[in-house]
């Protein structure tokens, strides 16, 4: 398959489904691309997918895309705003604005739209690999993934359409150190958590570092707001909860291997006015800090004067609670 940015297709499922939707097609006009979406029970596009697609659309317009001899510029930061939910059954258009190409850095603005209405806007920055100081935070000492229960094992024990759907379609294995909050709140009310993440299936050896970084962007949206839920004593099954990602900021510090176990060290410093902030440091299995992520989301629960929609993950009428 020829795509504007080369995304090799994984041969195993469900990872192959993710690499297929990340492989965009040419759109109408210069620096325009189109993408499809994975099915979602919520009836709206998964946000991590759109940000990852937008990142790859931007990468397709970098100097090395036109000049194979130009030095490779890797994504080092992404700042995205979600404006409205998208429909998984409709194509997504991506338009890229070439904001700047300097000697070391390039910046791109990407807008994702459906039916002429923007659903996401983002700015991404890319850098030529350069020498400089190499200092990082230390990874915490926590139990390894082999000592923890996989989310996939949990999904397979739950007789519910959401659990069955996730057990079939989840492209990444998640293993929580403090225990998961899929069915009930954590044992302690705390705004901190640790979990291990790794792709289910082998990432093709030909996948570029940009594709690995896009895969990390794809998966992190699944769990970014979990420490905020923990801080409020909530779980994914809290009745009437409304949840949506508002914005996403991510920095890439070093090379990422999406097929390696990655440790997410997460906290939520603030929740107020229906908005919650969450932060994540991502470490490789060897303790290398590869990415830092921040995300603000809307988390609303029913109150004396307002009722929640309960539309965080499934269609109305199929609430898992």
């Amino acid at each position: 398959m020829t795509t504007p940015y080369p995304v090799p297709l994984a041969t195993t499922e469900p990872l192959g489904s993710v690499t297929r939707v990340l492989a965009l097609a040419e759109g109408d006009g210069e620096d325009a691309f189109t993408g499809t979406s994975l099915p979602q029970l919520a009836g709206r596009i998964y946000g991590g997918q759109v940000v990852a697609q937008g990142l790859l659309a931007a990468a397709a317009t970098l100097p090395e895309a036109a000049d194979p001899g130009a030095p490779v510029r890797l994504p080092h930061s992404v700042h995205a705003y979600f404006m409205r939910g998208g429909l998984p059954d409709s194509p997504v258009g991506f338009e890229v604005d070439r904001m700047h190409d300097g000697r070391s850095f390039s910046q791109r603005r990407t807008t994702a739209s459906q039916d002429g209405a923007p659903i996401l806007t983002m700015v991404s920055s890319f850098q030529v690999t350069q020498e400089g100081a190499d200092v990082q935070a230390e990874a915490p000492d926590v139990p390894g993934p082999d000592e923890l229960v996989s989310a996939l094992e949990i999904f397979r024990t739950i007789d519910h359409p959401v659990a069955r759907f996730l057990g079939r379609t989840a492209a990444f294995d998640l293993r929580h150190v403090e225990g998961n909050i899929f069915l009930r709140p954590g044992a302690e009310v705390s705004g901190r958590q640790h979990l291990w993440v790794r792709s289910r299936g082998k990432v093709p050896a030909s996948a570029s570092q940009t594709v690995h970084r896009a895969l990390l962007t794809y998966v992190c949206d699944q769990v970014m707001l979990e420490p905020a839920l923990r801080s409020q004593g909530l779980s994914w099954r809290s009745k009437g909860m409304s949840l949506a990602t508002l914005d996403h900021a991510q920095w890439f510090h070093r090379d990422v291997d999406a097929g390696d176990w990655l440790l997410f060290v997460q906290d939520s410093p603030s929740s107020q006015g229906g908005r919650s902030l969450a932060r994540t440091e991502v470490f490789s299995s060897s303790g290398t800090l590869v990415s830092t992520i921040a995300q603000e989301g809307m988390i609303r629960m029913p109150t004396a004067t307002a009722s929640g929609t309960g539309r965080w993950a499934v269609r109305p009428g199929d609430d898992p609670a």
Side-chain angles (χ1 to χ4, degrees):
M1 177 184 295
T2 301
T3 64
Y5 188 90
V7 179
L9 303 186
T11 57
T12 55
E13 295 295 342
L15 183 62
S17 297
V18 175
T19 56
R20 281 194 293 274
V21 300
L22 294 185
L24 304 174
E26 296 283 357
D28 296 329
E30 186 178 5
D31 296 342
F33 312 94
T34 62
T36 58
S37 299
L38 291 172
Q40 299 293 333
L41 290 180
R44 65 187 184 193
I45 295 175
Y46 167 56
Q49 172 202 298
V50 186
V51 180
Q53 289 173 319
L55 180 63
L56 292 170
T61 70
L62 293 174
E64 61 263 32
D67 178 8
V72 173
R73 300 180 182 222
L74 295 176
H76 73 88
S77 69
V78 176
H79 299 269
Y81 283 90
F82 297 89
M83 289 173 281
R84 50 177 61 85
L87 300 175
D89 296 335
S90 299
V92 182
F94 295 87
E95 294 187 0
V96 180
D97 176 17
R98 305 188 186 209
M99 300 171 67
H100 175 70
D101 284 317
R103 288 179 296 178
S104 302
F105 292 88
S106 291
Q107 286 80 34
R108 297 291 188 266
R109 179 187 294 110
T110 306
T111 301
S113 303
Q114 280 189 324
D115 298 323
I119 62 174
L120 172 138
T121 184
M122 58 184 282
V123 174
S124 47
S125 185
F126 302 78
Q127 182 191 12
V128 175
T129 300
Q130 295 176 297
E131 295 182 351
D134 193 350
V135 181
Q136 69 159 67
E138 292 187 7
D141 184 13
V142 298
D146 292 341
E147 304 174 55
L148 304 171
V149 178
S150 168
L152 301 171
E153 296 179 31
I154 298 170
F155 295 151
R156 290 165 185 159
T157 66
I158 303 172
D159 184 17
H160 188 275
V162 173
R164 290 194 293 270
F165 177 80
L166 292 174
R168 293 192 312 271
T169 64
F172 287 80
D173 191 355
L174 310 178
R175 303 191 180 192
H176 291 78
V177 173
E178 290 83 8
N180 69 83
I181 56 171
F182 298 132
L183 301 177
R184 59 190 61 85
E188 298 181 2
V189 176
S190 168
R192 296 180 180 275
Q193 77 167 16
H194 306 78
L195 75 152
W196 292 93
V197 177
R198 184 178 68 176
S199 65
R200 291 175 66 189
K202 185 175 179 59
V203 179
S206 58
S208 68
Q209 181 53 211
T210 295
V211 170
H212 278 273
R213 297 185 187 198
L215 286 169
L216 175 57
T217 297
Y218 173 91
V219 67
C220 69
D221 191 41
Q222 295 182 27
V223 296
M224 276 301 300
L225 294 177
E226 283 197 344
L229 296 180
R230 289 182 183 272
S231 72
Q232 299 176 47
L234 300 175
S235 77
W236 287 108
R237 290 191 65 180
S238 292
K239 189 173 180 61
M241 181 174 67
S242 302
L243 184 148
T245 304
L246 299 174
D247 59 17
H248 178 95
Q250 184 167 6
W251 298 265
F252 300 98
H253 311 303
R254 296 167 182 84
D255 283 355
V256 175
D257 181 357
D260 178 29
W261 280 113
L262 299 172
L263 176 62
F264 283 36
V265 180
Q266 301 183 272
D267 75 331
S268 176
S270 176
S271 289
Q272 189 275 335
R275 293 179 293 108
S276 297
L277 178 65
R279 304 177 296 196
T280 297
E281 291 181 324
V282 183
F283 294 87
S284 70
S285 60
S286 61
T288 301
L289 180 64
V290 299
S291 184
T292 299
I293 315 168
Q295 192 174 95
E296 190 171 49
M298 180 200 75
I299 301 177
R300 291 176 179 164
M301 290 295 294
T303 66
T305 58
S307 61
T309 63
R311 296 181 61 183
W312 65 267
V314 294
R315 295 183 186 276
D318 192 25
D319 196 310

